PDB file of all heavy atoms in Angstrom:
ATOM      1  N   GLU A  23     107.778  77.255 114.600  1.00  0.00           N
ATOM      2  CA  GLU A  23     107.263  76.723 113.342  1.00  0.00           C
ATOM      3  C   GLU A  23     106.491  77.796 112.591  1.00  0.00           C
ATOM      4  O   GLU A  23     105.788  78.598 113.191  1.00  0.00           O
ATOM      5  CB  GLU A  23     106.334  75.535 113.599  1.00  0.00           C
ATOM      6  CG  GLU A  23     107.041  74.343 114.195  1.00  0.00           C
ATOM      7  CD  GLU A  23     106.114  73.164 114.411  1.00  0.00           C
ATOM      8  OE1 GLU A  23     104.877  73.323 114.288  1.00  0.00           O
ATOM      9  OE2 GLU A  23     106.625  72.077 114.722  1.00  0.00           O
ATOM     10  N   THR A  24     106.670  77.814 111.264  1.00  0.00           N
ATOM     11  CA  THR A  24     105.884  78.680 110.394  1.00  0.00           C
ATOM     12  C   THR A  24     105.349  77.811 109.264  1.00  0.00           C
ATOM     13  O   THR A  24     105.834  76.711 109.037  1.00  0.00           O
ATOM     14  CB  THR A  24     106.731  79.833 109.811  1.00  0.00           C
ATOM     15  OG1 THR A  24     107.798  79.290 109.037  1.00  0.00           O
ATOM     16  CG2 THR A  24     107.298  80.718 110.914  1.00  0.00           C
ATOM     17  N   ARG A  25     104.348  78.309 108.560  1.00  0.00           N
ATOM     18  CA  ARG A  25     103.758  77.565 107.451  1.00  0.00           C
ATOM     19  C   ARG A  25     104.143  78.202 106.121  1.00  0.00           C
ATOM     20  O   ARG A  25     104.365  79.407 106.036  1.00  0.00           O
ATOM     21  CB  ARG A  25     102.232  77.573 107.546  1.00  0.00           C
ATOM     22  CG  ARG A  25     101.698  76.785 108.683  1.00  0.00           C
ATOM     23  CD  ARG A  25     100.177  76.636 108.536  1.00  0.00           C
ATOM     24  NE  ARG A  25      99.615  76.005 109.695  1.00  0.00           N
ATOM     25  CZ  ARG A  25      99.522  74.681 109.843  1.00  0.00           C
ATOM     26  NH1 ARG A  25      99.932  73.884 108.898  1.00  0.00           N
ATOM     27  NH2 ARG A  25      99.013  74.179 110.936  1.00  0.00           N
ATOM     28  N   LEU A  26     104.180  77.379 105.094  1.00  0.00           N
ATOM     29  CA  LEU A  26     104.365  77.874 103.738  1.00  0.00           C
ATOM     30  C   LEU A  26     103.016  78.293 103.184  1.00  0.00           C
ATOM     31  O   LEU A  26     102.015  77.617 103.419  1.00  0.00           O
ATOM     32  CB  LEU A  26     104.946  76.781 102.840  1.00  0.00           C
ATOM     33  CG  LEU A  26     106.339  76.275 103.195  1.00  0.00           C
ATOM     34  CD1 LEU A  26     106.716  75.116 102.289  1.00  0.00           C
ATOM     35  CD2 LEU A  26     107.353  77.392 103.086  1.00  0.00           C
ATOM     36  N   ASP A  27     102.981  79.396 102.443  1.00  0.00           N
ATOM     37  CA  ASP A  27     101.722  79.779 101.791  1.00  0.00           C
ATOM     38  C   ASP A  27     101.662  79.111 100.421  1.00  0.00           C
ATOM     39  O   ASP A  27     102.529  78.303 100.064  1.00  0.00           O
ATOM     40  CB  ASP A  27     101.567  81.301 101.717  1.00  0.00           C
ATOM     41  CG  ASP A  27     102.534  81.996 100.772  1.00  0.00           C
ATOM     42  OD1 ASP A  27     103.226  81.323  99.984  1.00  0.00           O
ATOM     43  OD2 ASP A  27     102.584  83.237 100.811  1.00  0.00           O
ATOM     44  N   GLN A  28     100.666  79.443  99.636  1.00  0.00           N
ATOM     45  CA  GLN A  28     100.467  78.779  98.346  1.00  0.00           C
ATOM     46  C   GLN A  28     101.603  79.017  97.364  1.00  0.00           C
ATOM     47  O   GLN A  28     101.803  78.253  96.428  1.00  0.00           O
ATOM     48  CB  GLN A  28      99.140  79.194  97.715  1.00  0.00           C
ATOM     49  CG  GLN A  28      99.069  80.665  97.345  1.00  0.00           C
ATOM     50  CD  GLN A  28      97.686  81.062  96.875  1.00  0.00           C
ATOM     51  OE1 GLN A  28      96.730  80.324  97.030  1.00  0.00           O
ATOM     52  NE2 GLN A  28      97.590  82.247  96.297  1.00  0.00           N
ATOM     53  N   ASP A  29     102.368  80.079  97.580  1.00  0.00           N
ATOM     54  CA  ASP A  29     103.527  80.379  96.732  1.00  0.00           C
ATOM     55  C   ASP A  29     104.834  79.902  97.366  1.00  0.00           C
ATOM     56  O   ASP A  29     105.918  80.313  96.956  1.00  0.00           O
ATOM     57  CB  ASP A  29     103.605  81.880  96.447  1.00  0.00           C
ATOM     58  CG  ASP A  29     102.415  82.366  95.630  1.00  0.00           C
ATOM     59  OD1 ASP A  29     102.007  81.636  94.695  1.00  0.00           O
ATOM     60  OD2 ASP A  29     101.889  83.452  95.931  1.00  0.00           O
ATOM     61  N   PHE A  30     104.730  79.067  98.411  1.00  0.00           N
ATOM     62  CA  PHE A  30     105.866  78.490  99.138  1.00  0.00           C
ATOM     63  C   PHE A  30     106.694  79.531  99.881  1.00  0.00           C
ATOM     64  O   PHE A  30     107.887  79.369 100.095  1.00  0.00           O
ATOM     65  CB  PHE A  30     106.756  77.645  98.205  1.00  0.00           C
ATOM     66  CG  PHE A  30     106.020  76.485  97.631  1.00  0.00           C
ATOM     67  CD1 PHE A  30     105.501  76.548  96.350  1.00  0.00           C
ATOM     68  CD2 PHE A  30     105.805  75.348  98.387  1.00  0.00           C
ATOM     69  CE1 PHE A  30     104.794  75.482  95.817  1.00  0.00           C
ATOM     70  CE2 PHE A  30     105.097  74.274  97.871  1.00  0.00           C
ATOM     71  CZ  PHE A  30     104.594  74.341  96.585  1.00  0.00           C
ATOM     72  N   ARG A  31     106.055  80.623 100.285  1.00  0.00           N
ATOM     73  CA  ARG A  31     106.710  81.648 101.112  1.00  0.00           C
ATOM     74  C   ARG A  31     106.387  81.374 102.568  1.00  0.00           C
ATOM     75  O   ARG A  31     105.393  80.742 102.899  1.00  0.00           O
ATOM     76  CB  ARG A  31     106.220  83.033 100.739  1.00  0.00           C
ATOM     77  CG  ARG A  31     106.601  83.446  99.339  1.00  0.00           C
ATOM     78  CD  ARG A  31     106.006  84.771  98.990  1.00  0.00           C
ATOM     79  NE  ARG A  31     104.548  84.643  98.980  1.00  0.00           N
ATOM     80  CZ  ARG A  31     103.718  85.460  98.374  1.00  0.00           C
ATOM     81  NH1 ARG A  31     104.195  86.520  97.752  1.00  0.00           N
ATOM     82  NH2 ARG A  31     102.428  85.279  98.401  1.00  0.00           N
ATOM     83  N   THR A  32     107.231  81.879 103.444  1.00  0.00           N
ATOM     84  CA  THR A  32     106.987  81.785 104.876  1.00  0.00           C
ATOM     85  C   THR A  32     107.349  83.116 105.529  1.00  0.00           C
ATOM     86  O   THR A  32     107.984  83.968 104.911  1.00  0.00           O
ATOM     87  CB  THR A  32     107.787  80.619 105.505  1.00  0.00           C
ATOM     88  OG1 THR A  32     107.323  80.390 106.838  1.00  0.00           O
ATOM     89  CG2 THR A  32     109.284  80.891 105.530  1.00  0.00           C
ATOM     90  N   ILE A  33     106.941  83.297 106.757  1.00  0.00           N
ATOM     91  CA  ILE A  33     107.204  84.532 107.505  1.00  0.00           C
ATOM     92  C   ILE A  33     108.370  84.306 108.459  1.00  0.00           C
ATOM     93  O   ILE A  33     108.420  83.289 109.158  1.00  0.00           O
ATOM     94  CB  ILE A  33     105.948  84.940 108.322  1.00  0.00           C
ATOM     95  CG1 ILE A  33     104.738  85.135 107.410  1.00  0.00           C
ATOM     96  CG2 ILE A  33     106.224  86.159 109.187  1.00  0.00           C
ATOM     97  CD1 ILE A  33     104.853  86.291 106.450  1.00  0.00           C
ATOM     98  N   ILE A  34     109.292  85.249 108.493  1.00  0.00           N
ATOM     99  CA  ILE A  34     110.370  85.196 109.488  1.00  0.00           C
ATOM    100  C   ILE A  34     109.773  85.638 110.813  1.00  0.00           C
ATOM    101  O   ILE A  34     109.179  86.718 110.898  1.00  0.00           O
ATOM    102  CB  ILE A  34     111.536  86.108 109.085  1.00  0.00           C
ATOM    103  CG1 ILE A  34     112.126  85.626 107.760  1.00  0.00           C
ATOM    104  CG2 ILE A  34     112.601  86.142 110.190  1.00  0.00           C
ATOM    105  CD1 ILE A  34     113.166  86.555 107.173  1.00  0.00           C
ATOM    106  N   PRO A  35     109.913  84.818 111.857  1.00  0.00           N
ATOM    107  CA  PRO A  35     109.335  85.176 113.161  1.00  0.00           C
ATOM    108  C   PRO A  35     109.848  86.525 113.677  1.00  0.00           C
ATOM    109  O   PRO A  35     111.018  86.880 113.481  1.00  0.00           O
ATOM    110  CB  PRO A  35     109.784  84.035 114.072  1.00  0.00           C
ATOM    111  CG  PRO A  35     109.977  82.878 113.131  1.00  0.00           C
ATOM    112  CD  PRO A  35     110.535  83.504 111.878  1.00  0.00           C
ATOM    113  N   THR A  36     108.950  87.257 114.318  1.00  0.00           N
ATOM    114  CA  THR A  36     109.247  88.600 114.806  1.00  0.00           C
ATOM    115  C   THR A  36     110.480  88.653 115.692  1.00  0.00           C
ATOM    116  O   THR A  36     111.285  89.580 115.575  1.00  0.00           O
ATOM    117  CB  THR A  36     108.031  89.161 115.581  1.00  0.00           C
ATOM    118  OG1 THR A  36     106.899  89.140 114.710  1.00  0.00           O
ATOM    119  CG2 THR A  36     108.272  90.576 116.053  1.00  0.00           C
TER     120      THR A  36
END
Side-chain angles (χ1 to χ4, degrees):
E23 295 181 349
T24 61
R25 291 191 186 273
L26 296 175
D27 69 11
Q28 65 187 12
D29 295 320
F30 298 99
R31 295 176 296 200
T32 192
I33 302 294
I34 298 172
T36 303

